[in-house]
Amino acid sequence: MIEALKQNYGYLFEPALLEGISNVGQLKKVPEGFQLMDIGEPIKGMPLILDGAIKILREDEKGNELVLYFIERGDTCAMTLSCCVGMAKSEIRAVAETDTTLIMIPVEKMENWMATYKSWRQFILQSYHDRLMEMLDTIDSIAFLKMDERLLRHLRDKAMITRDDVIQTTHQEIAQDLNTSRVVISRLLKKLENQGKIQLFRNSIKVIDL
Amino acid sequence: MIEALKQNYGYLFEPALLEGISNVGQLKKVPEGFQLMDIGEPIKGMPLILDGAIKILREDEKGNELVLYFIERGDTCAMTLSCCVGMAKSEIRAVAETDTTLIMIPVEKMENWMATYKSWRQFILQSYHDRLMEMLDTIDSIAFLKMDERLLRHLRDKAMITRDDVIQTTHQEIAQDLNTSRVVISRLLKKLENQGKIQLFRNSIKVIDL
DNA sequence: AGTGTCGTGTAACCTTTGTTACCGATTACC
DNA sequence: GGTAATCGGTAACAAAGGTTACACGACACT
């Protein structure tokens, strides 16, 4: 574990902190589609992603979903940080977008390390910052963009985090991610294909115009 | 200044920190409508609100606006915190919603106090948490609600922060806040009035159903 | 091969929201 | 008092997105 940790976070954290993490942290490998956290669930720990990607999404009472953003290698989940401060319940759902390796850190350590390690403080603040910016991005998309632009952006995001211009997914799944209906997505995807921006296949989409 | 400071933040910060704030902080009184910060502007300092309320909004390249949330007495602006970490440019615009009194703290002090005062650390983290939750709320509104519900929610928010069920505003201004057109707002306001949830006057709206 | 399920394309229609245009009332300013 | 600007109501229409229904091919399972 310490090896993968050093590789991803070595330049960030001082040796003593790396050691602390590897002592109390719990290595976890989860397959694609695995649900790491759900809305209303108490927070068990804070994840440090070593490899893979996680989809963070929001749901309302009626079951409508919306993807907020993805987190990747080197990231952590600000919502988790957040919950250590105030309430203990998660406001979001986290689902592994690809096979993912991560370290879970018990929440008790956080305040502790905040006082001790400057690098930890900076990491936490940076994470909050990054997540706030992602949320701003999300808000920009929903508030200012039409569905076809949101769709294209979503496809590019997915291509980016999987590092593959061919996305394995269905129209139905995209519709859920963007909180709209399958018919609408099929319609717009066809339009994007006619514009030469993507290529459609059964169960996959190739993004041309990255 | 130290008096107003103690009154609003005394229970949060230890005496030494309060003293530090009152030494380096700069007291500011701004009138309603005053623009405290704009998108792209470098961040000068971090505001602690003593009295009043500030509207935080986002704008895209085309000039479309959207209100993100309001901050009030006892709050600070997470975007400012955020900018001390990464870039130095503001991502948002801040406009005084009412006459407002605040203390500006130079950004240099932040990292300093983070190491020294536990209460400061907790305040910063709590602020980040609060702001993230507000952003989630905003996303919920835009993503899951129809315009009439968003409108009603906006009116209630405004009533809340001004502590007055009569809102002084125009349909045009509301339309800007919600990134839609005046005609749409007029239409929906009329509907809400017919439903008995509000009462319309020239330049003001009374929220019945708080 | 036969059956059922899943993924996709498409048409028809409805609702919500955005746009343009116009009008009357109120207010501000000279 | 006259004039211009602002504010709000409304109609008519356009565009975007949501809904329902159905067809057809791919695929899985037996």
Side-chain angles (χ1 to χ4, degrees):
Chain A
M1 169 160 100
I2 188 82
E3 270 320 305
L5 185 62
K6 264 188 192 153
Q7 203 179 323
N8 288 295
Y9 295 91
Y11 67 101
L12 269 180
F13 299 146
E14 49 252 75
L17 177 52
L18 285 172
E19 177 133 356
I21 293 173
S22 88
N23 282 342
V24 301
Q26 190 184 350
L27 190 69
K28 235 179 165 178
K29 280 173 193 266
V30 298
E32 182 186 328
F34 184 86
Q35 184 170 309
L36 283 151
M37 202 168 286
D38 201 2
I39 297 169
E41 237 177 50
I43 309 276
K44 309 143 235 178
M46 173 183 150
L48 290 180
I49 316 293
L50 296 182
D51 194 42
I54 293 176
K55 180 163 82 176
I56 306 295
L57 42 87
R58 182 85 171 138
E59 196 185 58
D60 74 354
E61 328 78 47
K62 286 169 242 141
N64 299 310
E65 282 187 9
L66 178 79
V67 168
L68 295 179
Y69 48 78
F70 298 96
I71 59 181
E72 278 185 282
R73 181 189 323 199
D75 288 333
T76 187
C77 178
M79 293 297 161
T80 317
L81 308 176
S82 210
C83 295
C84 306
V85 182
M87 72 204 73
K89 287 190 309 167
S90 174
E91 291 283 333
I92 49 90
R93 176 177 303 149
V95 179
E97 176 73 9
T98 65
D99 293 352
T100 298
T101 312
L102 52 86
I103 298 179
M104 284 301 263
I105 299 175
V107 291
E108 305 85 59
K109 286 290 164 189
M110 274 197 52
E111 171 62 23
N112 201 335
W113 288 344
M114 284 291 286
T116 320
Y117 300 110
K118 181 171 178 184
S119 66
W120 182 254
R121 276 202 299 279
Q122 283 181 335
F123 175 67
I124 296 295
L125 287 182
Q126 182 68 47
S127 299
Y128 262 121
H129 173 78
D130 293 347
R131 240 40 68 202
L132 265 177
M133 292 304 122
E134 305 252 31
M135 299 271 280
L136 269 187
D137 245 37
T138 308
I139 288 177
D140 285 353
S141 290
I142 321 175
F144 301 134
L145 300 185
K146 297 259 164 72
M147 193 55 86
D148 55 347
E149 296 175 286
R150 284 180 59 198
L151 174 55
L152 192 55
R153 194 188 263 226
H154 183 70
L155 294 177
R156 285 179 182 149
D157 279 357
K158 278 189 91 110
M160 207 69 80
I161 61 146
T162 54
R163 292 173 178 75
D164 188 347
D165 59 348
V166 178
I167 300 164
Q168 300 295 325
T169 188
T170 66
H171 299 187
Q172 179 62 53
E173 199 191 331
I174 299 175
Q176 268 171 349
D177 286 353
L178 298 180
N179 187 38
T180 177
S181 75
R182 199 269 310 163
V183 181
V184 171
I185 293 299
S186 292
R187 192 151 67 202
L188 294 176
L189 281 174
K190 206 67 200 166
K191 209 178 82 184
L192 290 177
E193 186 175 42
N194 291 337
Q195 294 171 355
K197 294 180 180 166
I198 60 173
Q199 246 181 303
L200 297 177
F201 306 92
R202 189 186 170 85
N203 287 315
S204 71
I205 299 170
K206 177 164 181 171
V207 184
I208 309 284
D209 190 12
L210 263 176
Chain B
M1 171 161 99
I2 188 81
E3 271 320 304
L5 186 61
K6 264 189 192 153
Q7 202 178 322
N8 288 296
Y9 295 91
Y11 67 103
L12 270 179
F13 299 147
E14 49 254 74
L17 178 51
L18 285 171
E19 177 131 0
I21 293 173
S22 87
N23 282 340
V24 302
Q26 190 184 348
L27 190 69
K28 236 179 166 176
K29 280 172 194 266
V30 298
E32 183 186 328
F34 184 86
Q35 184 170 308
L36 284 152
M37 202 168 287
D38 201 0
I39 297 169
E41 236 176 51
I43 308 276
K44 310 144 235 179
M46 173 183 151
L48 290 181
I49 317 294
L50 296 182
D51 194 42
I54 293 176
K55 179 162 82 176
I56 306 295
L57 43 88
R58 183 83 171 139
E59 195 185 58
D60 74 354
E61 328 78 49
K62 284 170 244 144
N64 299 311
E65 283 187 8
L66 178 79
V67 168
L68 294 181
Y69 48 79
F70 298 96
I71 58 180
E72 278 187 281
R73 180 190 321 203
D75 288 334
T76 188
C77 178
M79 292 297 160
T80 317
L81 308 176
S82 209
C83 295
C84 306
V85 182
M87 71 205 72
K89 288 189 309 167
S90 174
E91 291 284 334
I92 50 90
R93 176 176 302 150
V95 179
E97 176 73 10
T98 65
D99 293 353
T100 298
T101 312
L102 52 85
I103 299 179
M104 284 302 264
I105 299 175
V107 290
E108 306 85 59
K109 286 291 162 188
M110 274 197 52
E111 172 62 24
N112 200 335
W113 288 345
M114 284 292 286
T116 321
Y117 300 111
K118 182 172 177 183
S119 66
W120 182 255
R121 277 201 301 278
Q122 283 181 334
F123 175 67
I124 296 295
L125 288 182
Q126 181 67 48
S127 299
Y128 262 121
H129 174 79
D130 293 347
R131 241 39 70 202
L132 265 177
M133 291 304 121
E134 306 251 31
M135 299 271 279
L136 269 187
D137 245 38
T138 307
I139 288 177
D140 284 354
S141 289
I142 321 175
F144 302 133
L145 299 185
K146 298 257 165 71
M147 193 53 87
D148 55 348
E149 297 175 285
R150 283 180 59 197
L151 174 55
L152 192 55
R153 195 187 263 226
H154 183 69
L155 294 177
R156 286 179 182 149
D157 279 357
K158 279 188 88 112
M160 207 69 79
I161 62 145
T162 54
R163 293 175 179 74
D164 188 346
D165 60 347
V166 177
I167 300 164
Q168 300 294 327
T169 188
T170 66
H171 298 188
Q172 179 62 52
E173 200 191 331
I174 299 175
Q176 268 171 348
D177 286 353
L178 298 179
N179 187 40
T180 178
S181 76
R182 200 270 308 166
V183 181
V184 171
I185 293 299
S186 292
R187 191 152 67 201
L188 294 177
L189 281 174
K190 208 66 200 168
K191 208 179 83 185
L192 290 177
E193 186 175 43
N194 291 337
Q195 294 171 356
K197 293 179 179 165
I198 60 173
Q199 245 181 302
L200 298 176
F201 307 93
R202 187 184 173 87
N203 287 317
S204 72
I205 299 170
K206 176 165 182 171
V207 185
I208 309 284
D209 190 10
L210 264 175

